[in-house]
């Protein structure tokens, strides 16, 4: 039972990341939030890196291209896309669109891992895709031909695709690295890449954001809960309950996140949110849970 509680806490913390990211979106730029979040995580992980330096570097020398790609997708890409999206879309919309990630995982699994899919699973993909489009269009199907997509919604879709690709490529994660070693080395890679983009966009290294209490306290939450604790809880619980059962907890995020957005951000829940949610979850059920052998 304790592992299920930890998994529940994990997805609740991740849902909070969407809420907090939206809450401070006008106070700090997406690039700054992404960089400082992971830079602080890196500082915390540095003692662990030093202690495990020999093994990490031996594995990195052998599989550096693989590790760099995984670090770029997870630490650099996903979080940066997410925070850009949260500047111009609601946290509720972002969480609902995020529900389409398993569908992209199935598609990448078929393309990269040559996983076969049944007709029912394809039907699930179609339903979830329609649900995402319906959600993005705010329930106004007539706007489909006008392509009235917001930049925030498109950034969230990019984040979903990024995380799906990362999840599939995790199959090739170096087995010689344990969970924390892998997190440490990918964090280093991700921070290096983000810092390069950070400088290219004209930012300079500064901790001025600590003067803003909202940003400071939000950053503390993001670093401790969605970053460090969530990864730790996920890593120790998933082997105990199995990947399939653990993965189902991710689908709690839209529900818990929408509730948090309603409570803390005063975001309104509309009827189109319900329709989009139903279509996405029906598609996920048909494409994933109806035939679990796909994974």
């Amino acid at each position: 039972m304790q592992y299920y509680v930890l998994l529940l806490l994990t997805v609740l913390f991740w849902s909070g990341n969407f809420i907090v990211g939206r809450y401070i979106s006008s106070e700090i730029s997406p690039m700054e939030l992404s960089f400082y979040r992971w830079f602080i995580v890196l500082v915390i992980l540095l003692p662990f890196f030093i202690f495990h330096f020999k093994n990490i570097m031996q594995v990195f020398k052998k599989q550096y291209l693989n590790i760099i790609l995984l670090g770029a997708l997870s630490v650099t890409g996903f979080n940066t896309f997410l925070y850009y999206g949260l500047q111009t879309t609601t946290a509720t919309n972002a969480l609902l669109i995020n529900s389409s990630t398993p569908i992209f995982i199935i598609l990448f699994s078929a393309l990269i891992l040559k996983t076969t899919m049944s007709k029912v699973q394809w039907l699930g993909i179609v339903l979830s895709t329609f649900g995402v489009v319906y959600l993005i269009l705010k329930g106004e199907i007539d706007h489909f031909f006008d392509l009235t997509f917001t930049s925030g919604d498109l950034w969230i879709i990019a984040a979903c695709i990024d995380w799906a690709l990362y999840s599939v490529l995790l199959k090739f994660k170096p087995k010689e690295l344990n969970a924390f070693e892998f997190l440490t080395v990918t964090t280093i890679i991700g921070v290096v890449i983000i810092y390069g983009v950070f400088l290219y966009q004209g930012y300079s290294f500064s901790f001025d954001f600590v003067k803003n209490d909202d940003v400071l306290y939000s950053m503390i939450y993001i670093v401790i809960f969605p970053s460090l604790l969530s990864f730790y809880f996920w890593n120790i619980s998933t082997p105990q309950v199995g990947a399939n059962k653990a993965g189902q907890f991710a689908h709690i995020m839209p529900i818990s996140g929408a509730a948090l957005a309603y409570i803390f951000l005063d975001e309104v829940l509309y009827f189109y949110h319900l329709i989009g949610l139903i279509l996405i979850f029906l598609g996920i059920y048909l494409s994933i849970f109806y035939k679990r052998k796909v994974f």
Side-chain angles (χ1 to χ4, degrees):
M1 176 60 71
Q2 63 173 332
Y3 296 113
Y4 291 104
V5 173
L6 292 178
L7 287 170
L8 178 59
L9 289 173
T10 296
V11 296
L12 287 176
F13 294 158
W14 281 340
S15 298
N17 185 39
F18 282 75
I19 307 304
V20 171
R22 174 61 178 168
Y23 177 68
I24 60 175
S25 60
S26 61
E27 305 293 334
I28 185 172
S29 73
M31 182 57 61
E32 289 176 305
L33 180 55
S34 184
F35 170 70
Y36 289 119
R37 167 192 178 176
W38 286 105
F39 175 79
I40 296 172
V41 171
L42 176 58
V43 171
I44 296 174
L45 290 174
L46 271 180
F48 183 86
F49 172 68
I50 295 173
F51 187 75
H52 294 265
F53 178 81
K54 184 176 181 180
N55 184 53
I56 292 176
M57 292 308 299
Q58 285 179 341
V59 177
F60 180 76
K61 290 178 181 178
K62 296 177 182 178
Q63 302 190 48
Y64 63 92
L65 289 178
N66 187 19
I67 294 174
I68 290 174
L69 177 60
L70 291 171
L73 288 172
S74 60
V75 175
T76 304
F78 174 74
N79 296 282
T80 305
F81 295 156
L82 172 64
Y83 293 141
Y84 270 109
L86 288 172
Q87 280 203 318
T88 53
T89 193
T90 65
T92 300
N93 262 31
L95 283 157
L96 290 173
I97 295 172
N98 187 67
S99 297
S100 67
T101 301
I103 303 303
F104 291 117
I105 290 176
I106 289 178
L107 291 173
F108 284 127
S109 294
L111 292 172
I112 298 173
L113 305 179
K114 307 303 179 184
T115 303
T116 59
M117 293 183 289
S118 67
K119 293 180 180 179
V120 174
Q121 290 170 323
W122 279 112
L123 175 61
I125 291 175
V126 172
L127 284 175
S128 282
T129 301
F130 182 77
V132 172
V133 173
Y134 186 82
L135 180 64
I136 292 174
L137 294 176
K138 311 296 187 291
E140 299 293 334
I141 300 299
D142 292 340
H143 291 169
F144 180 79
F145 297 102
D146 297 330
L147 296 176
T148 55
F149 297 95
T150 66
S151 59
D153 293 328
L154 295 177
W155 276 114
I156 300 300
I157 290 179
C160 293
I161 294 173
D162 179 287
W163 190 256
L165 180 59
Y166 167 74
S167 299
V168 172
L169 293 179
L170 269 179
K171 182 178 179 64
F172 306 106
K173 166 188 168 294
K175 294 181 175 58
E176 300 87 350
L177 296 176
N178 63 38
F180 253 108
E181 288 174 336
F182 179 70
L183 172 60
T184 300
V185 69
T186 51
T187 297
I188 293 173
I189 296 299
V191 169
V192 169
I193 297 174
I194 294 177
Y195 187 56
V197 179
F198 181 84
L199 292 177
Y200 177 78
Q201 292 190 354
Y203 294 102
S204 58
F205 190 89
S206 170
F207 280 106
D208 286 344
F209 67 84
V210 300
K211 299 176 182 178
N212 185 316
D213 288 343
D214 287 340
V215 176
L216 175 60
Y217 295 141
S218 297
M219 187 71 74
I220 292 173
Y221 169 82
I222 291 172
V223 168
I224 295 175
F225 294 97
S227 301
L228 291 171
L229 287 183
S230 286
F231 274 100
Y232 178 70
F233 291 164
W234 187 266
N235 291 340
I236 64 174
S237 300
T238 301
Q240 297 296 326
V241 306
N244 287 339
K245 291 183 179 179
Q248 296 183 36
F249 279 79
H251 302 296
I252 299 174
M253 286 181 63
I255 301 171
S256 60
L260 291 172
Y262 176 78
I263 295 171
F264 294 106
L265 300 181
D266 295 323
E267 291 188 2
V268 180
L269 297 177
Y270 295 100
F271 184 69
Y272 72 80
H273 285 129
L274 176 61
I275 298 299
L277 184 64
I278 290 174
L279 289 170
I280 290 172
F281 270 71
L282 178 59
I284 288 173
Y285 171 76
L286 292 175
S287 59
I288 298 177
F289 302 124
Y290 186 80
K291 184 181 180 182
R292 300 186 183 186
K293 290 181 180 181
V294 69
F295 290 106

